[in-house]
Every structure is written in C-alpha cells, then in structure tokens.
Amino acid sequence: MPQRPVTGVYAMVGLVAGSALQLQQSALFSPGAYVAIAGAAVALTMVLGWWIKPARSRSWCVLALAMVLAWGCTGWRAAAFQQTAMPAAWEGRDVRVEGVIADMPQTTARGVRMHFDIEQAWAQGMPIWLPEGVMLTWYGEPPAEGLQAGQRWAWTVRLKAPHGERNPHSMDWELWLWSQGVQATGYVRQHRSGGGRDNGEGAPPQWLAQTARAPVALLRGCLLQAMQPPEGASAREQASWGVVQALVTGAQSRITRADWQLFRDTGVAHLVSISGLHITMFAWLAVALVNAGWRRSARCCLWLPAPLAAAWAGWCLATVYAVFSGWGIPAQRTIGMLLVVVLLRTQGRTWPWPVVWLTVLTVVVVLDPWSLLQAGFWLSFVAVGVLFAAQPPDRNRREKKYRYAVLRLLREQAVLGLALAPLTLLLFGQISVVGLLVNLWAIPWVTLVVTPLSMLGALWPPLWQLVVSGVTAMIWLLEVMAAWPVAVLYFAQPAWWAAVAGVLGCLWLVMPWGWRWRLLGLPLVMPMLWWQPATPAWGQFDLLALDVGQGSAVLVRTQHHSLLFDAGPRWSEHVDAGERTVVPVLRALGVDLSAHMISHADSDHAGGAPSVQQAFPQSQGLGAGGVPCQAGQSWRWDGVHFQVLHPLPTGPAVRAVHTASNASSCVLQVESLAGKRALLSGDIEARQERALIRAGADVRAQVLLVPHHGSTTSSSAAWIEAVQPAIAIAQAGYRNRFGHPAPAVVERYQRAGVAWVATPTCGAAWWRSTQPDQVQCERAHRRRYWSTLSP
C-alpha cells in the first residue's frame, strides 16, 4: 500500500462524511439553495486547489469538495422529495386512486401491507394530485383476485402523512418510510355496494390488469404463495415455515415477533435473513459449479479462462439471488465487494482491503444516504471490516490453512462477537452472552444445510418440509440455550462519549497485536458497560409520558424506584405496546421497574401489561394488574409521596378489580418533597371528576395527564379549575378514529391558560418536578427533517 493515501480515498471519505453531515439537519433548505451553496463551494475549492501546490494539501481540498458535493446532493434530493409530501387537505378523506402494486405484499397481523404507486387520483369526481409512493394496508382476507406485485387496481383509500411513535432510543418509523420513498400511509376502503368501473369514492375495489412492472417481486410473491404450511400444521411448524420463507424470498414479516426476539437473544438474527454470508456462500457454490463445467470445454477455456468465467458467472448468479431476496444493505455490500474483487482479478490487479471496503461503502451511501441511519448498515460493514483488519499476518500460510481451520473459525467468531457487542448494545440495548457458542453450530447448520435446501426446494418442493423440520429443531435448541442463566444481558443506553469509547475499545481488543497492547482497550469499554443514566435527586421525580399511539403509558422515576402507570395498547394477538415500545424504552433508560399500576382493564391501558410483567417479574402489580386501587392508599419512595385518589371507597365508582369500566380507573397523585405534583387520571369521566371534587380531594397539580385521552366525556370546566394545572399532557393516536383529543377539550384547557401537549405532535413528553413549568418533547429534542409533525 502506498505511504500516502491516494486522492480517491480522500474523495470517498468526503462523500461519506458530507452525506452523514446532511442527515443531521433538523430542517431543509429549498432545493435551489443546496444547488447554489454546493456550486459556490465547488468553485471556491477548485480555485484554492489550483493555487495550492503540495499534493497533500490538494488531497484535503478534494476531501472538502467531496463533502460539500455530497452534502448538497443529499440535501437537494431530500428537499425535492419533501416537496411531494402528502397534501394535508386530503388526509383522512375518501379518495379514489388507480395504480400498481410496486413490490411483493407483506402479510401482517391484521391484513396485507403493500407499496402502491399511484398513477391517477380523484376526489368528488375531480382529478387531484397525490404523492406517487404510498403504503397501503388491506385489512382482513385479501380479495378473490389476490394481491400480487404488478397488479393494477382502482380502489378507494384513506391516506395520511407518515407518522410513527417517537420515544427515546426507539425505531424511527418515519425515517424508514422516507428511505423507502413513501409519502403517505393508509388503508383500502372495501365498499361492497355499487359495481362496474367508477371513479366515485363509493365504488368497490376493482382489479384492472396484471402489468409487466415489478417482475422480480411478482416471482417472489408466486414462490411465497407456493411455500404455504400444510393444513393442520402446528403453530410451531407455521413459525418455522416463516423462517424458510424469509430465507428464500426475503419476506421477513413471516417471522413471528417471538422468534425475532429469540434470534436476537441468541445472536443469530443475521442468519435468518438474507445476509452477506448466504450470498457469499451462493456465489462460492456457483463459482465451483461453473468452474468445473467450463474446464470440460477446451474452446471455452481458450475464449475465456475458467477462473475468470467462473468468477463472473458466480457474481451474476449471486446478484440475481440478492435482487430476488429484496436487495437489502447486506446484499448490496456483498455484491459490491464481490464485483470489486472480480474486476481486480480480471485486470490482474490487487487493492488493499481498506480501499475495497471503503469503495463499496461509499457507493452504498451515495445511492442511499439514509442507509447510514440503519442498523443493518453498521452491523454489515463493521463486521466485514473487522474480519479483514483482525486477520493475523500468517493467515495465508498453506501449512496452517487446513491444520488450524477449526481454531480459525473459533477465533473469527470470538472476534466478531466482541467487535459487534457494543453495536448490538447501542442498536438493540442488549448483548447475547450465549451468541458465541450458538453461532459455532448455527452458522454451519444454516449456511450449509438449511439455506441450500431451502433454495433447492424451489426446484423440488418436498425439500421444504424437510427444512422446516430442521428449523424447528434449531429453534428448540435455541430456546433451551436462551433459557440459560445470564444468556442475554440488557444495558442502559450510554452517553455518546461512552458509546464511542466502547466501540473503539472493542475494536482495539480484536486487533492482531500482542495481548499487552490489546488490554489497553479495556479501560475504554468500562464506561459503556457501567453507564447508568442520572436519576432524580432525593425528594424529586421525573415523569415520562410515552408515545404509544391510542393508549396510555407513563413512567414515574424517583432516585431509586420507578413506577409504570398503564402499559399501552394491544393491537393484535401477538403485538402489543408493552413488548414493542414500553419494555425497550425502560431497558434503554436503565429502569429496573419497582411497580406497575394499570388504571383499568381497557385494552388501550392494559394491553401491554403481560409483556411488562414478563420482562420485569419483580415488579409489583397494582390496580387492574394486581392489588386493587382504592382512595387512601399511599406510600413514599425516596422522599416522594404517592397517593391513590380514586376509586372512592363508596359509591358507584367501586367495581371489580378487572373491570374495563372507565369509572373504575385509578387516579394517582405524585408529590415531590418541594410540593410539586403530577396527577395521573386514567380514563375517569365527568361524573368521577365531580365525585372527587365533592369528596374534597386535593387534586391540584402542576402537570395533569388528561383524562380519557381528551374525550368530550371528561375534562369538565370544574375539573380543570380544581386541578389548576400548568401543563396538560394528552396521550392519543395520530388521527385516531375516536377524534381524541376533542377540539372542544383542547380549547377548554387553552382558555384556562394551561399549556397543551399532545403525544402525536410532541412524541414522548418529559416532565421534571425540578422544572414544573417545562416539558421536553422527543420530537423537538431530536428533530429531523423527515419528521412529519413538530410540537
């Protein structure tokens, strides 16, 4: 490798850095502004570069030029895309659209989700403009014609701007939709009246034609339909079929959430999706077969040497497999690296591995800058880079190539496990302790047995049933190992400096240096592992109203204790807010839950309780989750006073413990040592509000969790006057079907001079007793331009 980096390396570093810099913007300029700024910077850099003589200085000018170009191009693309956003005037209204299903539909818990490209749109009989790319859901059973890629449909839909829950350290759903080119989400209105082709909103869905668009996605969909579990298959067998379907077609939605959690806990999630390992194995098999066949023809060998023919054939076939499987980031990275290797071999040249690695990384970022914010990008590229960098100097000696194959496998697994540990902690909040042992047998089993047989099943379907049996046995063994003590460790999300130090420390530990040098990386790792977020001082408390959609979940923390008030909604038999939102946030914040109080048994408050109880078995259950609430109950944690105000001991509000009646909701008041209060009111309605006032309850509080999500049946004027809150927080779903919070209720609070905060526009809301007049909104705290709403 030359002593000084080549100019191209500086250019590639600049392109990646400029793209990453643009992604940090909270708001976008106009497209023209990006063009003007980039053009001016390019002109200035070229003038300076002309006068600067030292080659190294010119290289720095190239880096700066590449950064500005990447920043400007990424910003221009983002601004141009943002100008095609969903018009607010047509949100939540019936519109008639005609277009084509652009990708393979994915089965969800409640229906079928699909990427739909709109070609024409009408409302009230007049043409209107709507963004092209939308994500639609067909609820219930699919139509008789089926739903396949390339089909042209005319149907009535209701759309809204992309919107996702925003909580600390959680997935950004709006960013994912942005990266997929989706400008609206919605659902198909399945009208049953009328008939014939009709542009009116009342017409039923109408299949128009099967187009030639998305042929690969259509083929994937047809193959997926052929891979259906037999009738009478057990739930475990159906889940195993989902794994096989994901390996062949990339349909990861077929894998259950329970299995995904199991795979993360045991460190094998990379094996049950189309990863670089699978594509590399496929390419290797293709190269071996083509090489053996090519050598049998002298004419072919004279035209093109067998090694080169096999290399190009292997790359082409691997590319077909990668495209067929969905073309994810691991697939892009693998195909890119294989292409560079084949091109260099064709030209009889070699590049240092960092240049190959950086070249492919740069191409992926230039094509899709927003991939920098995806977990798969970092796991994929860091894993490959570490494997290259951590190889010992004598790895190519033939006498050791076979003699120490097993030891080399063990070493590579240990290197990957250690190097990726900080990334899995930062991205998923956990580290799989058994992952190293599991991968020793799971990698060869999945890559050499399960995946090849799954692909061959496309030619001979009976093989799929054999593979399903193998996957079922694998999952059983994973469940056994996941049940071992300390199989997986959960950590709080560290500060940025501790995270950076931890990543660098783990990378340092796996470098091919002497142990004395490697051990210097240990001090860098310690802050990340021992990090604990700051907790309130003695006598103070924090309140976090989570963004869980149409439901309620509030975390209250004192110095050494924490209480969860409600646990969010349940959306289906297998999906609830407790598992998807509440538990991950609590673990990311380092919370060891002391108690959870479920205000009442309505599913939007109690739906996530079983998941919370399973994740924190030591947590004491209160309300509908355990010991019934009753006015007068109280306790102190770390100088903070907790008191239950409702249900009252007498009167119609008293109900059975597990009743779903709003009238039985627990009302909890939390008071700091300095007298600052928060009032969590569940779903009580005006009648219960009046009863509390008549009973003489002191309901005054600085912050109020608005009763019943802001329904018109609650938040009476007398209640607002009695509580006298400075801040009112309403937890509700974006454009929910109940109309919460009601405009009249919002106006009532605002007339009383109360600061209004709602989770659809705020995201998760932080309130601290030390700053009783302030609320920190997650959307404002981590503001990005792809977010559709801001506080």
Side-chain angles (χ1 to χ4, degrees):
M1 185 175 181
Q3 293 298 318
R4 291 186 303 177
V6 295
T7 302
V9 172
Y10 278 90
M12 290 187 288
V13 171
L15 290 173
V16 175
S19 301
L21 182 64
Q22 195 282 326
L23 298 181
Q24 305 309 309
Q25 282 192 271
S26 59
L28 291 171
F29 307 139
S30 67
Y34 285 104
V35 174
I37 294 173
V42 168
L44 178 62
T45 305
M46 293 181 68
V47 171
L48 292 176
W50 179 266
W51 292 101
I52 295 175
K53 297 302 181 183
R56 182 175 295 276
S57 298
R58 287 185 178 177
S59 296
W60 284 105
C61 286
V62 169
L63 186 146
L65 174 61
M67 281 188 64
V68 175
L69 278 176
W71 178 87
C73 290
T74 304
W76 176 81
R77 290 171 60 183
F81 183 66
Q82 192 178 67
Q83 289 185 343
T84 64
M86 174 72 190
W90 298 112
E91 284 192 277
R93 298 174 59 179
D94 284 356
V95 293
R96 188 73 174 178
V97 299
E98 181 180 313
V100 177
I101 300 176
D103 203 352
M104 182 180 69
Q106 299 276 347
T107 301
T108 65
R110 296 188 290 174
V112 179
R113 189 174 62 210
M114 52 198 158
H115 193 139
F116 189 74
D117 285 347
I118 296 177
E119 298 174 332
Q120 302 179 71
W122 303 267
Q124 300 174 355
M126 299 293 293
I128 63 171
W129 180 89
L130 290 176
E132 179 182 5
V134 301
M135 189 72 71
L136 294 179
T137 300
W138 179 290
Y139 290 108
E141 292 294 324
E145 298 86 353
L147 295 172
Q148 288 286 5
Q151 288 180 345
R152 176 172 281 110
W153 281 87
W155 42 33
T156 299
V157 299
R158 280 194 179 178
L159 300 175
K160 62 182 179 181
H163 186 275
E165 301 160 3
R166 290 291 297 274
N167 293 288
H169 313 295
S170 61
M171 176 186 174
D172 192 339
W173 175 248
E174 293 166 29
L175 169 63
W176 185 85
L177 290 173
W178 176 285
S179 67
Q180 300 299 309
V182 174
Q183 287 283 40
T185 62
Y187 62 96
V188 177
R189 300 272 286 171
Q190 301 173 35
H191 298 285
R192 299 302 179 189
S193 61
R197 184 167 183 172
D198 185 356
N199 291 341
E201 292 87 308
Q206 186 175 11
W207 183 88
L208 301 177
Q210 177 67 54
T211 71
R213 291 176 57 179
V216 175
L218 175 61
L219 181 59
R220 292 169 60 204
C222 293
L223 186 59
L224 185 62
Q225 284 189 342
M227 300 178 65
Q228 297 302 317
E231 293 186 10
S234 65
R236 177 67 271 163
E237 289 179 330
Q238 292 181 15
S240 298
W241 271 97
V243 174
V244 179
Q245 290 167 340
L247 287 172
V248 177
T249 67
Q252 297 187 12
S253 64
R254 299 300 179 99
I255 301 178
T256 65
R257 292 185 64 87
D259 281 348
W260 271 125
Q261 187 61 50
L262 174 65
F263 298 147
R264 285 193 292 267
D265 290 346
T266 53
V268 297
H270 63 103
L271 293 178
V272 294
S273 57
I274 303 299
S275 66
L277 183 63
H278 297 143
I279 295 172
T280 303
M281 180 208 67
F282 186 88
W284 179 81
L285 290 175
V287 167
L289 293 174
V290 172
N291 188 56
W294 199 270
R295 290 179 181 275
R296 295 180 177 274
S297 172
R299 173 178 287 184
C300 290
C301 290
L302 289 174
W303 177 66
L304 186 66
L308 288 183
W312 279 108
W315 179 81
C316 291
L317 292 173
T319 301
V320 171
Y321 176 48
V323 172
F324 182 82
S325 62
W327 196 240
I329 290 178
Q332 298 173 31
R333 181 261 303 165
T334 304
I335 293 301
M337 287 192 174
L338 291 175
L339 176 60
V340 173
V341 170
V342 172
L343 285 172
L344 292 175
R345 179 177 296 181
T346 302
Q347 299 175 6
R349 303 172 61 185
T350 58
W351 282 358
W353 75 261
V355 178
V356 176
W357 181 85
L358 181 59
T359 299
V360 177
L361 184 147
T362 304
V363 171
V364 171
V365 171
V366 169
L367 293 177
D368 181 11
W370 297 275
S371 64
L372 280 166
L373 301 176
Q374 297 180 24
F377 176 91
W378 294 101
L379 293 174
S380 179
F381 278 100
V382 170
V384 173
V386 166
L387 284 178
F388 276 123
Q391 288 294 335
D394 61 344
R395 62 184 182 276
N396 291 323
R397 290 175 56 183
R398 180 173 295 275
E399 64 271 19
K400 291 190 175 184
K401 185 175 182 180
Y402 301 104
R403 184 177 178 183
Y404 296 109
V406 174
L407 292 178
R408 186 167 63 249
L409 175 63
L410 289 172
R411 182 183 181 280
E412 289 180 352
Q413 286 303 307
V415 165
L416 275 182
L418 183 58
L420 295 182
L423 283 180
T424 57
L425 188 157
L426 296 175
L427 296 171
F428 308 116
Q430 64 182 67
I431 295 177
S432 175
V433 179
V434 299
L436 173 62
L437 182 60
V438 169
N439 275 283
L440 288 178
W441 62 265
I443 287 180
W445 176 250
V446 174
T447 57
L448 301 179
V449 179
V450 173
T451 302
L453 291 179
S454 297
M455 293 186 293
L456 289 174
L459 302 176
W460 193 47
L463 281 176
W464 284 329
Q465 187 60 54
L466 178 63
V467 177
V468 167
S469 300
V471 171
T472 301
M474 178 187 75
I475 292 177
W476 174 83
L477 185 54
L478 291 177
E479 290 174 339
V480 171
M481 299 182 74
W484 290 356
V486 202
V488 60
L489 298 178
Y490 298 96
F491 295 89
Q493 288 291 320
W496 69 268
W497 61 266
V500 172
V503 172
L504 294 177
C506 286
L507 293 178
W508 187 281
L509 287 170
V510 301
M511 290 297 103
W513 303 325
W515 278 107
R516 293 182 179 179
W517 286 101
R518 292 190 196 184
L519 291 177
L520 294 177
L522 284 177
L524 295 175
V525 178
M526 292 299 105
M528 180 182 67
L529 297 179
W530 294 104
W531 175 265
Q532 285 297 323
T535 58
W538 178 270
Q540 304 293 339
F541 70 96
D542 292 350
L543 182 148
L544 174 61
L546 293 170
D547 185 4
V548 292
Q550 186 61 25
S552 177
V554 180
L555 173 67
V556 180
R557 295 191 307 172
T558 65
Q559 188 174 51
H560 300 296
H561 295 81
S562 56
L563 177 139
L564 181 70
F565 185 86
D566 287 336
R570 173 178 290 274
W571 296 293
S572 69
E573 183 181 356
H574 304 290
V575 184
D576 62 73
E579 176 190 17
R580 195 178 74 176
T581 302
V582 177
V583 171
V585 170
L586 297 186
R587 284 174 171 163
L589 296 175
V591 170
D592 189 15
L593 203 60
S594 306
H596 60 278
M597 176 180 287
I598 306 303
S599 62
H600 62 302
D602 275 359
S603 63
D604 57 335
H605 294 251
S611 297
V612 172
Q613 184 66 60
Q614 182 179 4
F616 301 98
Q618 81 289 347
S619 174
Q620 180 186 5
L622 303 172
V627 179
C629 291
Q630 187 170 339
Q633 294 170 336
S634 65
W635 66 94
R636 284 189 178 272
W637 282 344
D638 310 317
V640 177
H641 184 240
F642 292 76
Q643 182 176 6
V644 177
L645 303 182
H646 190 270
L648 297 171
T650 59
V654 177
R655 298 289 187 272
V657 175
H658 298 292
T659 181
S661 170
N662 293 337
S664 67
S665 288
C666 303
V667 175
L668 179 67
Q669 187 183 76
V670 188
E671 184 176 4
S672 71
L673 200 61
K676 305 304 180 183
R677 294 176 176 178
L679 188 63
L680 311 180
S681 54
D683 271 0
I684 63 170
E685 299 182 346
R687 184 177 180 181
Q688 289 74 51
E689 294 172 355
R690 292 193 298 270
L692 280 169
I693 296 172
R694 286 198 302 268
D698 185 1
V699 295
R700 289 174 299 171
Q702 278 68 41
V703 63
L704 167 68
L705 186 69
V706 176
H708 202 185
H709 319 287
S711 167
T712 55
T713 61
S714 305
S715 296
S716 62
W719 173 255
I720 297 174
E721 183 180 358
V723 178
Q724 301 178 17
I727 299 169
I729 301 176
Q731 291 182 297
Y734 176 61
R735 300 191 66 88
N736 63 87
R737 62 190 178 94
F738 305 103
H740 296 160
V745 172
V746 178
E747 183 182 359
R748 197 177 300 154
Y749 278 96
Q750 292 176 339
R751 282 202 310 267
V754 181
W756 179 263
V757 177
T759 53
T761 53
C762 175
W766 281 101
W767 180 87
R768 296 172 173 86
S769 61
T770 54
Q771 299 172 309
D773 298 326
Q774 299 180 24
V775 170
Q776 177 181 295
C777 289
E778 183 68 17
R779 286 184 177 272
H781 183 59
R782 292 179 174 84
R783 195 170 196 169
R784 291 296 183 266
Y785 57 77
W786 51 79
S787 180
T788 54
L789 293 177
S790 299

